[in-house]
Amino acid sequence: STDNELLITGVQLEIGDVATAFEHEMLSETLHKCQRYYEKSHEYGTAPTHGFVGGNYEIWQSRATSGTSAVYYTIQYKVRKRASASVTTFSNTASGAGYYHISGNADYTNGSINGGERKFSIRMPSTGNQNEYLFSWVSDAEL
């Protein structure tokens, strides 16, 4: 029948023939373990996407420079990754670009992202004395 449901919670897989007592973990402990592999700037229940709205932990970076040199922005991870992670950034618009340059009113793809186990940095072009960027990100160090 299509109206039958089976809901399961509190499952623990065991190796071997003997079951041990159920291990209860706090959400913070489970989240810490998961963030070794995957971390994002969006809220927990929000899928990473372009066109995010306020409150999804987008990052707004503003830096004044002289001339048109590059701007570098570094983000520290909350948890050290198991290996160097790949990073994807998302613009505030639905165009699919990597970040949105507010001052220039334009989308850009990522110039370069340098990542590691503890942090990543993004190189963004500078277009003058005021540079404001809006983006969100996902860091993935899965197996």
Side-chain angles (χ1 to χ4, degrees):
S1 171
T2 58
D3 61 349
N4 292 330
E5 290 184 18
L6 174 64
L7 305 174
I8 299 175
T9 184
V11 175
Q12 178 173 300
L13 301 178
E14 299 279 350
I15 297 175
D17 298 330
V18 179
T20 61
F22 189 80
E23 297 176 31
H24 296 275
E25 280 188 354
M26 299 292 294
L27 174 61
S28 59
E29 186 177 347
T30 304
L31 179 61
H32 182 83
K33 289 178 182 179
C34 292
Q35 285 178 331
R36 287 192 64 231
Y37 300 91
Y38 184 86
E39 191 174 330
K40 64 181 183 170
S41 60
H42 299 73
E43 293 176 353
Y44 296 134
T46 304
T49 184
H50 300 282
F52 52 86
V53 295
N56 288 336
Y57 297 101
E58 64 271 16
I59 297 172
W60 179 357
Q61 184 265 334
S62 177
R63 209 174 266 180
T65 63
S66 59
T68 57
S69 61
V71 176
Y72 292 88
Y73 189 65
T74 300
I75 295 175
Q76 293 283 130
Y77 294 131
K78 292 177 184 173
V79 175
R80 183 178 181 167
K81 302 297 170 254
R82 59 164 283 284
S84 289
S86 64
V87 177
T88 304
T89 61
F90 301 91
S91 171
N92 185 40
T93 67
S95 68
Y99 56 90
Y100 182 72
H101 186 221
I102 296 170
S103 305
N105 197 26
D107 284 311
Y108 292 93
T109 56
N110 297 317
S112 65
I113 297 178
N114 297 315
E117 295 175 6
R118 297 181 186 269
K119 63 186 175 185
F120 70 90
S121 63
I122 303 173
R123 180 186 183 275
M124 300 175 186
S126 174
T127 59
N129 292 330
Q130 188 66 22
N131 295 287
E132 298 171 325
Y133 300 94
L134 188 62
F135 64 97
S136 60
W137 56 270
V138 168
S139 174
D140 189 342
E142 293 202 35
L143 300 173

